[in-house]
Amino acid sequence: MAVRPVAPQLLLEIDGDSQLISPNHRYRFGRDPQSDVVLADPRASWHHAVLCAAEGHWILDDDGSTNGTYAMGHRIEHLDVGPGTVVCFADAVDGVRASLAALPAPDRAAERPSALTAITGSYRQPTRVRRLPQRSLRIGRAPENELVVDDLVVSRHHAELQTRADGRFEIVDLDSHNGTFLNGQPVDRAFVGPGDLIGIGHSLFCLVGDELQEFVDTGEVTLDVENLVVRVGGGRTLLDGVSFPVGQKCLLAVAGPSGAGKSTLLNALTGLRPADEGSVRYDGRDLYRDYAELRRRIGLVPQDDILHTQLTVRRALGYAAELRFPGDTGKDERRGRVEEVITELGLGQRADQVISSLSGGQRKRVSVALELLTKPSLLFLDEPTSGLDPGMDRSVMHMLRGLADDGRTVVVVTHSVLSLGLCDRLLLLAPGGRIAFYGPPDETLPFFGFPEWPDAFEAFENDRSRDWAREFRDSDPYRRYIASAMGRPAGNPPAERSTVPPSPAQSWGSQLGTLIRRYAAALAADRTFLAIMIALPFVMGAMAHALAGSRLDQNSALNALLILCVGGVLTGAANAVRELVKERVIYQRERAVGLSRSAYLCSKIVVLGAVTVVQAVVLTMVGLFGVRLRPGGGGGVLLPPLAEITITVALLSFTAMMLGLLVSALVRKEEVTMPLLVLLAIVQVVFCGALLKLNGVPVLGQLSWLVPSRWALGAMAGTIDLHAAVPGTLTSDPLFAHRAGVWLLDLGMLVVLSVVLALAVARLLRRQEPKVMRG
């Protein structure tokens, strides 16, 4: 077979800056800030030239520029280039000058040592090298920076490297959205030495002599897992000494019987639940130590959908881009990245289709597309083919194969063995969380001596006395695929693990605005919710009106107020009782990449609160339209009676909505929310004070203080002076008094209960997050 020649890697030097160029990429030159090489000269065209590799050599093509591209004083349209070529853009004499040079030979590598290799043990050549600044060097995405980093997770003006009077260097964060990191930890201002790593977006910067070396994480990284041990209460071990290497562009499948520790391993590899012992090295760097920085380079697709399925593909990805990219990212930049991932995942024809109408395989593609927005180098998937037919199973695995080939490390946990042949490596876990095999998938069954996969899994279950891990450690595959592959030098020893909470990509207010718009759009697209939301206040209001008749008198007043209470509670609680539990997987994933917990909760309160208040107003107006509220004459406590009752029902509904959110945060399954909603309604009826005498009754009286309908009924009773209309022991409750102080106390307690419930919901949300995400 003929071997196609490959063009060599070269160093492009332009304006005193050096950049490594690779033959697997096409480089665009121009004034456009999105160009691969930005030409900071007003005479250069927006799209000036293109440099690419073809048939083993490099070619530079002028892209129809106005002022031309020049070599050796002559204007050129097409030029074969290589080491030693010098080109000028926009003017033959004083235009932007660029030169190409060969990479240093191995025997000259010491002339430009790789700081990253020395620090982490990962063999990397600098992507770009430039002289250290005399005073300061501004770094960011905007073209006016001295060092432009073309990365959407980098702010326009991100950081500044300053030279102090004593000759030391200091890195200063310029209030960037995604943070500046020194040795994996976020910093606002810190001194930098030769052994330090500055992290900005997908780039690392190191000081070497009088140079600043940049290393761009393009996705071709390694993952070294060393002796992971995870224990739980009772001394039970879930992972026991798990070690294996994952190479660049590798597709690794993790399989094994139920209970073998696959999900535990996934949590350890992603840093969501760090192992109790051992280390995970991301391209030579300790993932746990540097997790605050490296977490953004890890994509995780859980088994459940991580998108609002009521939205279209393009709209859902658009909202996700707003949350994950800095607030200074332009709409066109975000839209461009969304279109890139839509094209990459083959979703172009379904981009405007509602996600819930897609097939299982296509929905999984959309979840993967969301994770690819920020260009992660490591992509983890938990059971992506679960529930799919064999054809969809193979389609999803082919997609993952392509993602790995494009320059990512992909790890997939799976129960399916249909497409293991597409993977580079298979990690097979035995019960007890120990490695039974690691290597090429086609060597697995011959190693065990089984003809089919069901036989192997059956043996794991039935032959518990067999030491699968020891047999593998004594085997040739272990020596070839683990021992020898992990024999390369390691970087720095593990240090104290990072527990820094994720920093938000946007400001709190920007996150809140995006979340409100997304949540409102999702609710508006949910026709079932809309139908219930519109119908419920009219139905409950009609019932209240039927009981009230034409006037609130001795026969109708108490029953009408009770129905208003029940209607307000059902309206508010029904709106919220499913809203947190159904989005739990989405929330946990977004929280891991910087979502603000308080902004998320506030978005729910704002949208649901607005809906609930409108419903409460409709409920009250329908229920009391044309009804004489005080037949004996007189007004409300402070306002007209109808206004006071409307305010009370609105506050009751809002408090019931907060109670619904509390229930939604407590439960684990969406199915149990409806029975609990019925229970809530019963409790409100029993403890509101309309059926039982509560004042002065030990225990019951105090418990009723925690029930919103107790205070709401008191406020409405005070408005219409219920004791005067319906004399009796039941209505002589002090909370029913027609006095301003009592009425304000009743409403004030509803506000207090709402605040307490909000704090409780926030606390429950925090408890649902992995430890590394809490803050």
Side-chain angles (χ1 to χ4, degrees), residues 193-215:
D196 294 325
L197 298 176
I198 304 170
I200 296 177
H202 287 83
S203 296
L204 277 177
F205 298 90
C206 309
L207 307 183
V208 181
D210 61 350
E211 293 180 340
L212 179 66
Q213 295 185 356
E214 179 185 4
F215 302 84

Side-chain angles (χ1 to χ4, degrees), residues 508-533:
W508 188 90
S510 297
Q511 278 202 13
L512 178 61
T514 300
L515 290 167
I516 288 174
R517 287 186 289 107
R518 183 181 70 176
Y519 186 40
L523 290 183
D526 189 339
R527 295 182 180 180
T528 302
F529 177 84
L530 284 177
I532 296 174
M533 179 185 71

Side-chain angles (χ1 to χ4, degrees), residues 33 45 92 120 229 247 271 287 300 329 453 477 480 565 618 670 743 756 760:
S45 295
T120 69
V229 177
L287 175 66
L300 173 61
T329 307
W453 281 107
R480 280 189 292 152
C565 280
V618 172
E670 191 176 341
W743 187 76
V756 171

Side-chain angles (χ1 to χ4, degrees), residues 561-642:
L561 296 185
L562 177 60
I563 290 298
L564 286 176
C565 280
V566 174
V569 168
L570 282 177
T571 298
N575 287 343
V577 77
R578 295 166 54 247
E579 294 308 301
L580 296 181
V581 64
K582 75 178 184 182
E583 291 186 2
R584 186 157 297 161
V585 175
I586 298 174
Y587 169 72
Q588 289 174 339
R589 180 60 196 139
E590 291 185 338
R591 180 77 177 112
V593 294
L595 178 70
S596 165
R597 183 190 311 124
S598 59
Y600 175 77
L601 179 56
C602 284
S603 71
K604 297 292 184 186
I605 294 174
V606 169
V607 176
L608 290 175
V611 171
T612 299
V613 168
V614 170
Q615 288 177 304
V617 172
V618 172
L619 165 65
T620 309
M621 293 302 174
V622 172
L624 300 180
F625 179 74
V627 178
R628 292 184 62 189
L629 302 180
R630 299 203 63 189
V637 178
L638 296 174
L639 302 170
L642 183 60

Side-chain angles (χ1 to χ4, degrees), residues 564-565 567-569 571-572 608-621 642-658 708 712 716 747 750-751 754:
L564 286 176
C565 280
V569 168
T571 298
L608 290 175
V611 171
T612 299
V613 168
V614 170
Q615 288 177 304
V617 172
V618 172
L619 165 65
T620 309
M621 293 302 174
L642 183 60
E644 288 188 2
I645 293 177
T646 302
I647 292 172
T648 301
V649 175
L651 264 177
L652 171 63
S653 297
F654 186 88
T655 308
M657 178 204 76
M658 296 304 305
M716 289 189 287
L747 295 188
L750 289 174
V751 174
S754 295

Side-chain angles (χ1 to χ4, degrees), residues 40 114 162 222 322 340 458 468 501 582 625 646-647 724:
S114 170
Q162 299 176 350
T222 59
E322 285 189 48
E340 283 181 20
E458 225 173 56
W468 303 92
K582 75 178 184 182
F625 179 74
T646 302
I647 292 172

Side-chain angles (χ1 to χ4, degrees), residues 630-751:
R630 299 203 63 189
V637 178
L638 296 174
L639 302 170
L642 183 60
E644 288 188 2
I645 293 177
T646 302
I647 292 172
T648 301
V649 175
L651 264 177
L652 171 63
S653 297
F654 186 88
T655 308
M657 178 204 76
M658 296 304 305
L659 191 58
L661 287 177
L662 180 69
V663 171
S664 192
L666 276 169
V667 300
R668 294 186 177 184
K669 295 183 179 180
E670 191 176 341
E671 294 80 11
V672 303
T673 56
M674 288 301 108
L676 288 175
L677 178 62
V678 175
L679 180 61
L680 278 178
I682 293 173
V683 170
Q684 302 300 317
V685 170
V686 172
F687 285 94
C688 70
L691 302 179
L692 301 174
K693 183 179 184 301
L694 298 173
N695 180 53
V697 179
V699 182
L700 285 182
Q702 287 71 42
L703 285 176
S704 70
W705 297 345
L706 304 176
V707 178
S709 61
R710 170 81 165 121
W711 304 99
L713 183 66
M716 289 189 287
T719 293
I720 66 171
D721 196 0
L722 183 64
H723 183 61
V726 187
T729 305
L730 190 64
T731 60
S732 63
D733 194 314
L735 293 181
F736 293 179
H738 184 71
R739 294 199 304 269
V742 175
W743 187 76
L744 291 174
L745 171 65
D746 291 333
L747 295 188
M749 284 304 298
L750 289 174
V751 174

